[in-house]
Amino acid sequence: MTDVMTDDLPTSESQPPEGGPRGEVAPEPSPPPSERSPPDDQPPENSAPKPGNKHWYVVKVQSGREESIKESIERRVKIEGLEDFFGQIIIPVERVVEMRGGKRVTRERKLYPGYLMVEAEYNDRILYLFRETSGVGDFVGGSLSHAPPPMADHEVERMLGRQGEQVPGISHGKPKFDRGDRVKVKDGTFAGMEGEVKELLEAKGLVRVELTIFGRPVPVELEYWQVEHS
C-alpha cells in the first residue's frame, strides 16, 4: 500500500481566522449607542435646577387683597422650603401728603392695584406654589407654553427707587377732563406716560387712568393735578 504524504495538508491549527489573513484577530463589533458609556465630562441627565437665577416678575392678583396674598405666599415659601428660589415681594406704594381740615395728612396709595412685584426663580415649583395660592392670577406675559418675561432693569430700578416716596397732594374742586379723554401724567412715578381716562372718582379727588405698563393695560388712580390733556 502506498503511503499518503500529509506534510503539505493544512491542519486546523494552521488555518487563518475567518475574515482576515493568517496571524490577525478579527476586531470585536462596537456596542450599540444605548450601551455605550457616557464621556466623563458629560453632565448627568435630569439634573435638578440650581438656585441663583432670580428675576423680577409681575403677578396679577385680586385687587384689594394684595397684603394678605403677599403674606400667604411668603408663608407657603417657608413651609415648602423654597427660600433658595425666592427673593421678596413688593406692593409698590407712594405716600401722598395733603392738607385736610388745616392738618397735614399722609396716606399710602398703591401704584399698581391688583399687581405684585415678585423676585423669584421661575420654575415649576414656584409656578405651582403661586397658582395654588388663593387670589393669585398668573405671571404677566406668561402662558401655559411660554415663560413670562422678567421686568426690564430700568423698570426694576424705577420701582425700587420710587417705593414709598412722598408726593404732594393738592385738592382741586373739579377735574378738567372727562371719561375717554387722552391725558398725560405730568408728575409722580408715571410722569411722561399717556393713557385714557376711565373713571372720575370725584369723592376722592382722583381720576382712574389706563396706562400701558409691563406691556399690558393697567388702571392707575391719580390726583387731578398729576395729569393733563395730551
Side-chain angles (χ1 to χ4, degrees):
M1 179 178 296
T2 306
D3 294 336
V4 178
M5 302 298 292
T6 60
D7 293 343
D8 296 333
L9 295 179
T11 63
S12 58
E13 294 181 355
S14 62
Q15 290 180 357
E18 185 178 354
R22 184 187 299 271
E24 294 184 2
V25 179
E28 295 183 0
S30 300
S34 59
E35 298 180 6
R36 297 175 187 171
S37 300
D40 294 337
D41 58 349
Q42 180 176 338
E45 296 182 359
N46 301 325
S47 56
K50 297 181 179 180
N53 193 27
K54 301 183 185 72
H55 297 285
W56 283 95
Y57 298 94
V58 183
V59 179
K60 175 68 176 174
V61 298
Q62 184 176 345
S63 183
R65 292 186 54 200
E66 293 88 353
E67 288 83 1
S68 63
I69 293 173
K70 174 180 180 291
E71 293 173 358
S72 179
I73 292 173
E74 292 172 338
R75 182 168 58 252
R76 292 193 60 188
V77 165
K78 293 182 179 179
I79 292 175
E80 300 186 22
L82 297 178
E83 292 94 333
D84 288 342
F85 302 101
F86 188 82
Q88 57 183 320
I89 296 180
I90 287 182
I91 304 173
V93 297
E94 63 183 2
R95 298 164 60 196
V96 181
V97 182
E98 55 189 11
M99 299 297 294
R100 290 184 182 178
K103 295 182 179 180
R104 189 181 182 87
V105 178
T106 302
R107 62 183 177 87
E108 284 191 347
R109 180 175 61 198
K110 293 183 180 70
L111 295 176
Y112 316 102
Y115 293 89
L116 297 178
M117 280 56 186
V118 179
E119 183 189 23
E121 178 174 336
Y122 186 83
N123 55 41
D124 291 341
R125 298 178 68 185
I126 288 294
L127 180 60
Y128 180 79
L129 183 148
F130 274 77
R131 287 182 173 174
E132 293 300 309
T133 301
S134 175
V136 176
D138 210 341
F139 285 74
V140 173
S143 65
L144 294 177
S145 58
H146 294 89
M151 294 176 63
D153 291 342
H154 71 274
E155 291 178 329
V156 176
E157 292 173 2
R158 184 175 188 178
M159 175 195 70
L160 297 177
R162 303 299 293 269
Q163 176 71 355
E165 183 181 21
Q166 287 192 0
V167 296
I170 303 175
S171 177
H172 290 280
K174 292 288 183 180
K176 299 179 181 179
F177 26 76
D178 298 312
R179 295 175 62 179
D181 287 355
R182 294 288 301 179
V183 294
K184 180 178 181 180
V185 183
K186 62 180 182 179
D187 190 85
T189 302
F190 308 105
M193 301 182 68
E194 296 187 5
E196 180 180 333
V197 176
K198 291 298 183 180
E199 188 176 358
L200 300 176
L201 308 173
E202 296 190 34
K204 299 180 180 179
L206 302 174
V207 57
R208 182 170 292 142
V209 180
E210 186 176 83
L211 303 174
T212 300
I213 305 174
F214 316 124
R216 64 177 295 168
V218 176
V220 176
E221 294 180 359
L222 302 166
E223 305 280 349
Y224 291 162
W225 60 271
Q226 290 182 286
V227 297
E228 62 184 2
H229 283 100
S230 58

